[in-house]
């Protein structure tokens, strides 16, 4: 049996992972399931999978979780410190699916303890990518990307020599607005949360609407595959069937296509390096008939223009943390109706230009810079709303 832990077991990715494990429960021994505050779903998933530990981050839900799991074999824990202590349990697969920098510590702590770390938390790589990958290499933890595009690229690239790759292409659905005439000053929360193809959490759905998601994903790909940013293209592909393309120096290109269903990359990761049968059908080319691709419109989506602030290597890693921190704050403020949709990118740009020019040397530096960038972003938000 393969030992598995899931950090963030009640969100879209974590819940799908629980479903996949439940379908072949004899193959997996579930050690840890964690959640921020959804104690009910955490209890349901822990019971189904007979998890050894259920960890709730918000301490006020601990008693409620305990009551739900009374009489089961699952031990209840709470708070970040207890989550970090069970992140040190040895696993075959750990799924890191807590969204944002909130998931960085637990993902980082599982390096060296997990044989394979399936990473859905792109923000962890954006903020601490270099430090993260270096540690994973040293402590022999395989990083398996769960982001659909990166999972596709990972499947294609495998052990290819990086010098044989000319460039790679990340496909983008374009989110809800790419082909709509819309005033970004008047975007409602409801409209921004309506993703055409993927059912996901709120943060990533807003990131898709601004297309910041592709900015984060381009950085994520650069870190995962050791490529320069200018070797990564973004192409709009509204149906989200083709997930990634690798162009090789010899004129060959490989692309991966499948239904837009996150269970496919999750199942792939949970069985890597093997493949197992799935009840999800392959794409029928006769039904698809054609595939459409379009250039991205950087004029319409100003977030894509943020790359011009990311080319100076001396301040690159520092700015990546600032970019993520200010985006997390801006998205949160948009969802609380404190700022307009259009202001999300403005806040990020302002923070990028104001952050101190000091690259992080270790994981503590990452959190310090995150704090500083969050403060700068909040100051600007307050300016905008007065
Ligand atoms: Mg993606």
């Amino acid at each position: 049996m393969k030992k598995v832990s899931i950090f963030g077991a009640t969100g879209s990715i974590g819940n799908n992972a629980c479903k996949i494990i439940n379908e072949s429960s004899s193959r997996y021994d579930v050690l840890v399931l964690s959640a921020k505050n959804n104690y009910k779903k955490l209890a349901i998933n822990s019971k189904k999978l007979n998890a050894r530990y259920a960890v709730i981050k918000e301490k006020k839900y601990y008693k409620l979780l305990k009551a739900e799991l009374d009489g089961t074999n699952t031990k209840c824990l709470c708070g970040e410190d207890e989550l970090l202590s069970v992140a040190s349990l040895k696993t075959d697969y750990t799924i890191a699916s807590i969204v944002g920098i909130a998931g960085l510590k637990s993902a980082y702590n599982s390096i060296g303890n997990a044989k394979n770390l399936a990473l859905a938390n792109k923000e962890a790589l954006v903020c601490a990518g270099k430090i993260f990958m270096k540690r994973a290499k040293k402590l022999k933890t395989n990083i398996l990307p769960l982001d659909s595009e990166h999972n596709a690229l990972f499947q294609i690239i495998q052990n290819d020599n990086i010098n044989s790759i000319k460039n790679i292409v990340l496909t983008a659905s374009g989110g809800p607005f790419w082909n709509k005439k819309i005033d970004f000053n008047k975007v409602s929360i409801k409209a921004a949360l309506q993703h055409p193809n993927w059912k996901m959490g709120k943060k990533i759905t807003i990131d898709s609407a601004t297309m910041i998601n592709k900015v984060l994903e381009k950085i994520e790909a650069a870190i995962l595959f050791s490529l320069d940013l200018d070797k990564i293209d973004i192409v709009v592909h509204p149906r989200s069937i083709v997930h990634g393309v690798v162009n090789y120096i010899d004129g060959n290109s490989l692309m991966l296509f499948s239904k837009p269903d996150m269970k496919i990359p999750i199942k792939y990761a949970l069985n890597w390096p093997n493949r197992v049968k799935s009840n999800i059908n392959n794409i029928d080319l006769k039904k698809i008939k054609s595939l459409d691709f379009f250039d991205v419109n950087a004029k319409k989506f100003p977030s894509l223009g943020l790359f011009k602030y990311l080319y100076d290597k001396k301040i690159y890693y520092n700015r990546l943390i600032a970019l993520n921190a200010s985006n997390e704050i801006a998205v949160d403020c948009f969802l609380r109706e404190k700022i307009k949709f259009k202001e999300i990118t403005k806040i990020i740009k302002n923070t990028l230009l104001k952050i101190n020019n000091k690259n992080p040397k270790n994981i503590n530096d990452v959190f310090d810079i995150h704090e500083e960038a969050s403060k700068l972003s909040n100051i600007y938000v307050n300016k905008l709303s007065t």
Side-chain angles (χ1 to χ4, degrees):
M1 272 168 91
K2 301 288 184 193
K3 290 193 172 72
V4 183
S5 288
I6 305 175
F7 305 140
T10 58
S12 169
I13 299 281
N15 203 41
N16 269 320
C18 288
K19 277 187 201 160
I20 289 165
I21 291 169
N22 196 33
E23 282 163 15
S24 35
S25 54
S26 60
R27 297 166 55 98
Y28 299 104
D29 174 11
V30 176
L31 302 187
V32 183
L33 298 183
S34 90
K36 186 179 176 194
N37 49 29
N38 193 346
Y39 69 91
K40 279 201 171 154
K41 210 181 221 179
L42 178 60
I44 292 169
N45 284 342
S46 301
K47 275 184 209 166
K48 261 193 213 157
L49 304 182
N50 194 23
R52 289 195 218 169
Y53 298 96
V55 192
I56 191 90
K57 190 172 174 203
E58 302 270 348
K59 290 182 181 170
K60 62 182 172 193
Y61 298 110
Y62 174 65
K63 276 190 182 156
L64 293 163
L65 177 71
K66 231 172 137 42
E68 295 276 340
L69 287 169
D70 190 34
T72 68
N73 296 325
T74 305
K75 191 169 185 256
C76 297
L77 304 171
C78 73
E80 170 116 51
D81 288 348
E82 297 203 319
L83 175 62
L84 295 181
S85 75
V86 286
S88 64
L89 293 171
K90 303 279 176 207
T91 67
D92 294 288
Y93 298 95
T94 290
I95 296 185
S97 50
I98 295 173
V99 69
I101 193 149
L104 175 57
K105 262 190 195 159
S106 51
Y108 187 76
N109 274 35
S110 55
I111 297 175
N113 298 310
K115 271 188 207 158
N116 302 294
L117 179 58
L119 197 68
N121 180 321
K122 65 189 83 186
E123 295 91 347
L125 280 185
V126 169
C127 292
K130 203 179 163 193
I131 298 163
F132 202 93
M133 295 303 281
K134 203 174 151 192
R135 187 169 166 88
K137 199 174 174 193
K138 189 176 158 200
L139 300 179
K140 297 192 170 61
T141 289
N142 300 308
I143 303 293
L144 312 175
L146 278 187
D147 208 342
S148 58
E149 299 81 357
H150 306 72
N151 187 275
L153 294 164
F154 178 85
Q155 291 193 43
I156 298 170
I157 293 172
Q158 296 288 327
N159 293 319
D160 281 342
N161 182 336
I162 218 73
N163 296 323
S164 67
I165 296 171
K166 193 187 289 167
N167 65 350
I168 62 174
V169 181
L170 293 170
T171 54
S173 69
F177 303 137
W178 87 274
N179 63 348
K180 281 196 191 126
K181 269 200 175 148
I182 191 155
D183 181 351
F184 277 6
N185 273 312
K186 291 180 185 151
V187 169
S188 70
I189 296 172
K190 200 179 155 214
L193 284 175
Q194 236 122 54
H195 196 280
N197 305 342
W198 299 96
K199 248 188 104 211
M200 309 177 288
K202 279 186 185 173
K203 157 85 171 39
I204 185 172
T205 308
I206 300 297
D207 286 349
S208 298
T210 56
M211 288 200 77
I212 280 283
N213 188 44
K214 285 304 139 182
V215 176
L216 298 174
E217 287 188 353
K218 188 163 157 170
I219 299 161
E220 183 189 7
I223 290 162
L224 280 167
F225 305 113
S226 305
L227 291 169
D228 285 338
L229 285 175
D230 56 13
K231 283 196 166 188
I232 305 164
D233 285 339
I234 299 169
V235 169
V236 174
H237 169 52
R239 290 167 85 178
S240 301
I241 288 170
V242 174
H243 305 293
V245 182
V246 179
N247 293 316
Y248 291 95
I249 49 173
D250 60 359
N252 284 298
S253 299
L254 293 178
M255 70 182 192
L256 185 138
F257 58 102
S258 65
K259 291 198 170 158
D261 185 332
M262 281 312 294
K263 285 198 220 61
I264 297 175
I266 298 168
K267 194 158 187 163
Y268 173 81
L270 276 173
N271 290 285
W272 186 83
N274 303 308
R275 290 184 189 271
V276 296
K277 201 171 175 288
S278 159
N279 52 16
I280 298 170
N281 290 330
N282 297 69
I283 297 280
D284 183 343
L285 292 177
K286 295 187 286 287
K287 281 188 187 147
I288 288 287
K289 291 193 173 68
S290 66
L291 291 165
D292 288 343
F293 300 95
F294 304 90
D295 208 352
V296 287
N297 183 348
K299 261 196 190 143
K300 182 167 178 177
F301 295 96
S303 61
L304 297 165
L306 291 170
F307 284 111
K308 67 171 171 282
Y309 304 107
L310 299 176
Y311 278 95
D312 185 346
K313 282 282 176 230
K314 286 193 284 280
I315 50 176
Y316 177 63
Y317 296 102
N318 186 52
R319 286 195 167 182
L320 296 186
I321 302 164
L323 180 136
N324 178 66
S326 52
N327 183 50
E328 287 195 22
I329 298 235
V331 170
D332 181 60
C333 288
F334 172 69
L335 288 171
R336 289 190 291 118
E337 293 181 62
K338 263 191 106 175
I339 60 160
K340 290 179 188 145
F341 184 78
K342 202 179 180 174
E343 291 171 333
I344 295 176
T345 309
K346 258 192 187 173
I347 294 167
I348 299 170
K349 186 182 154 188
N350 183 271
T351 310
L352 286 180
L353 294 174
K354 289 218 167 107
I355 193 80
N356 277 331
N357 294 338
K358 212 177 108 196
N359 277 325
K361 290 195 177 65
N362 54 48
I363 202 80
N364 292 330
D365 288 352
V366 172
F367 287 103
D368 288 347
I369 297 165
H370 175 83
E371 279 303 309
E372 190 200 338
S374 302
K375 267 185 211 157
L376 289 169
S377 309
N378 278 318
I379 291 169
Y380 192 64
V381 166
N382 289 333
K383 239 192 219 171
L384 284 173
S385 49
T386 47

